[in-house]
Amino acid sequence: MRRLPSFNDFSPGIIGDVREPLRILDALAPDIQAIIAEWDRVFFKSAGNKRASTNIPATLTSLGLMTRTPPSLTEAGQAILAAPSAVTAAQIMTRHIVDTRNGIAIIDAVRSLNTRGEKLSKDSLKRELEIIGIEGLSNATTDHTTLLNWMIEAGLFERNGNANPQPDEAVMKAALGISASERASFADLPLSQQIFLQVLRRVAESSGGGEIAAKQIIDECLRDHRARFDEDQIRAKVIKPLAEAGWIELPATASSGRGGKSGPIAPSAKLLGIPIEAVLPDFDQVIPSDLRAKIDLPAAEVKRLLASDQTYERGLGLELLALKMILDIGLEPRAFRLRSRDTAYAEVDLTAEGKNLLFSRWNFQCKCVGGRVSLGDVAKEVGLAIYSKAHVVAVVTTSDFSSEAVAYAREITQATHLQFLLVNGAIVRNYLDKGASVLLDHVAANAVSVMAQKRSQPITAESEA
């Protein structure tokens, strides 16, 4: 489970210089009562409540800066205390949180909100963090915003007035070893390329860098992750794109004419210049890399793609629409059954899952068609849902549904365990214009309708005569 550390009563506004509570702890340890009394005096005007006795030690423990028995600084806490300035101390603490406590998620979440042009708030940041896998954020928590404020304090982000924080690439690179743009670039790589870079980086570090036989890296990738690679296309699909993106170098002596595994390669300064932890492959990735790179496109751009006269753009818009809807409903994408390119860019099929109160599986079909969605289109989804053991069939279209399709969905809802969510073009356009609330209102209204339809289903078995 991925969580963020706790920050109870430990914001920059309360603490100021992060070295100060550590200095007090270091000077008065192991006398915990004296430490608490001094924390209370310095930060809370001797209020004598749990803010000093409970919250500060809990936060320092959560951050991995303090041990309880006996009370003392950890090695990480000592490094922060030894910093020459308050800003440097905040940078060292932030690096520690990024390396050990999922702090990079804040950087990813802010980047996504900025890319979409969405206003950053306590709620929008929390929602974005949950989308990328951070758990345990209660509705009342400010842990995530406090961590962001420490990053601002450290100079990793700049904030002007009420505008969203913007990353300072140079400061972030110096403090964390990786900039926001480098982080985004690596995260958007296909899994095969991520694996290749990890192996190359590890081999380069053990061998002292320089040129390495491509065959050595390829053989290790195929040995441990054969299913992730198309062996005949490794040079075309892995090595060449990574070279073009600046992650690896192809020395002048390299020759692709002797076979896909031949010739030397070398890690670039870009690859060697980021922490090794930053090149760990994301084996949980479900969304294809070409979509991950575009998933933060603003809704207006998705709407433009759907209306494009280019079939490829319509297909891309359809895939992004499906993903945005799934995330806005609070579901987790699990697998693409059919991508738009497999259906002449007319439709996309994917599965998502949710765990709100109970587990549920949703099959989504999104269609970009001129005419109405027919009964046959909806009927096909029933068979797929039964096969995949789905609970909800969601059909989304940029046009509308025939009356026969709507009637059929109602019949199946009344007669089986399945539920339908039909989203027509009017709702799609309103959703892209006005935001997630439109979709959530439609889903809620649909739930009321489904419940009314299922009231006719028996709750208990009929008694025997």
Side-chain angles (χ1 to χ4, degrees):
M1 181 180 293
R2 297 179 64 207
R3 290 180 177 269
L4 295 180
S6 168
F7 281 96
N8 292 324
D9 288 311
F10 207 83
S11 66
I14 293 174
I15 299 300
D17 186 340
V18 72
R19 295 174 299 177
E20 185 61 13
L22 303 180
R23 182 194 64 76
I24 293 169
L25 171 59
D26 189 55
L28 300 178
D31 189 343
I32 189 60
Q33 294 306 317
I35 295 168
I36 290 172
E38 186 65 2
W39 282 339
D40 190 33
R41 183 189 71 81
V42 172
F43 302 117
F44 307 112
K45 300 180 180 179
S46 299
N49 54 38
K50 71 173 186 177
R51 300 177 75 185
S53 63
T54 300
N55 291 354
I56 284 189
T59 297
L60 291 176
T61 302
S62 174
L63 293 174
L65 307 182
M66 169 186 175
T67 60
R68 294 280 194 142
T69 309
S72 63
L73 290 176
T74 63
E75 184 176 339
Q78 292 170 352
I80 296 169
L81 178 60
S85 69
V87 171
T88 304
Q91 290 175 352
I92 296 172
M93 181 180 72
T94 299
R95 173 67 181 264
H96 170 70
I97 295 170
V98 166
D99 288 347
T100 66
R101 283 159 173 76
N102 301 310
I104 198 71
I106 294 288
I107 295 171
D108 291 343
V110 172
R111 174 176 62 86
S112 291
L113 291 171
N114 286 345
T115 302
R116 293 200 303 271
E118 184 175 334
K119 179 67 177 175
L120 188 149
S121 67
K122 173 186 168 184
D123 291 339
S124 66
L125 182 60
K126 173 178 176 289
R127 174 179 165 277
E128 200 65 36
L129 288 166
E130 290 172 339
I131 286 173
I132 60 179
I134 296 297
E135 301 181 40
L137 294 172
S138 70
N139 291 333
T141 188
T142 57
D143 291 341
H144 55 312
T145 53
T146 301
L147 177 51
L148 174 57
N149 286 335
W150 277 115
M151 289 182 171
I152 294 172
E153 193 78 7
L156 272 62
F157 290 95
E158 296 180 345
R159 190 165 201 170
N160 297 315
N162 294 324
N164 282 8
Q166 299 296 322
D168 186 313
E169 294 279 326
V171 173
M172 196 172 290
K173 177 68 174 177
L176 305 183
I178 186 169
S179 67
S181 59
E182 287 173 333
R183 166 68 182 171
S185 176
F186 184 82
D188 288 338
L189 294 176
L191 184 54
S192 59
Q193 294 180 18
Q194 291 185 17
I195 294 170
F196 191 92
L197 289 181
Q198 181 200 31
V199 174
L200 176 60
R201 171 65 184 270
R202 178 171 48 74
V203 172
E205 288 198 344
S206 63
S207 64
E211 296 183 7
I212 300 167
K215 184 178 185 303
Q216 178 182 353
I217 307 303
I218 294 171
D219 285 348
E220 183 170 337
C221 289
L222 292 176
R223 184 193 69 203
D224 297 335
H225 306 283
R226 181 171 293 275
R228 304 288 185 179
F229 292 87
D230 181 348
E231 185 171 357
D232 295 333
Q233 295 293 318
I234 288 179
R235 184 164 291 276
K237 292 185 176 180
V238 177
I239 295 177
K240 184 178 178 181
L242 289 175
E244 291 173 347
W247 288 105
I248 66 176
E249 295 176 355
L250 301 179
T253 55
S255 171
S256 60
R258 293 172 290 167
K261 292 186 179 182
S262 64
I265 59 175
S268 67
K270 177 180 177 179
L271 177 58
L272 293 174
I274 62 177
I276 188 66
E277 298 82 4
V279 292
L280 295 179
D282 179 10
F283 286 99
D284 294 326
Q285 63 179 238
V286 173
I287 301 171
S289 61
D290 58 331
L291 288 187
R292 287 202 314 275
K294 298 179 176 68
I295 197 169
D296 292 320
L297 282 178
E301 178 63 10
V302 176
K303 186 177 180 181
R304 184 197 69 78
L305 290 171
L306 289 170
S308 173
D309 58 4
Q310 301 296 314
T311 54
Y312 166 76
E313 289 195 342
R314 289 200 303 274
L316 174 61
L318 206 59
E319 292 178 338
L320 293 173
L321 172 67
L323 287 171
K324 284 180 177 292
M325 282 187 161
I326 284 172
L327 296 176
D328 280 338
I329 292 173
L331 304 174
E332 181 180 345
R334 295 303 303 154
F336 275 86
R337 291 178 286 137
L338 282 176
R339 294 194 63 188
S340 62
R341 66 186 178 212
D342 301 319
T343 63
Y345 301 102
E347 64 184 68
V348 58
D349 291 299
L350 56 98
T351 299
E353 294 174 349
K355 54 182 183 294
N356 184 17
L357 299 182
L358 289 173
F359 169 80
S360 62
R361 178 171 292 153
W362 300 51
N363 280 357
F364 272 77
Q365 183 189 57
C366 295
K367 298 181 72 67
C368 190
V369 294
R372 293 177 177 237
V373 176
S374 69
L375 184 154
D377 292 322
V378 175
K380 181 188 73 172
E381 290 301 306
V382 174
L384 290 170
I386 293 173
Y387 177 78
S388 63
K389 296 180 174 59
H391 307 91
V392 181
V393 174
V395 184
V396 181
T397 180
T398 54
S399 57
D400 206 344
F401 298 90
S402 70
S403 58
E404 293 82 4
V406 174
Y408 177 77
R410 187 178 298 113
E411 283 183 28
I412 296 298
T413 298
Q414 292 172 342
T416 74
H417 72 284
L418 291 175
Q419 304 177 48
F420 277 84
L421 174 66
L422 304 181
V423 183
N424 65 19
I427 296 170
V428 167
R429 290 185 289 275
N430 203 19
Y431 160 64
L432 292 174
D433 285 340
K434 298 181 180 179
S437 62
V438 171
L439 178 62
L440 295 176
D441 287 347
H442 178 68
V443 172
N446 185 78
V448 172
S449 175
V450 168
M451 185 171 68
Q453 293 171 47
K454 287 189 175 292
R455 283 278 166 84
S456 62
Q457 295 179 346
I459 295 177
T460 58
E462 294 183 4
S463 59
E464 294 183 0

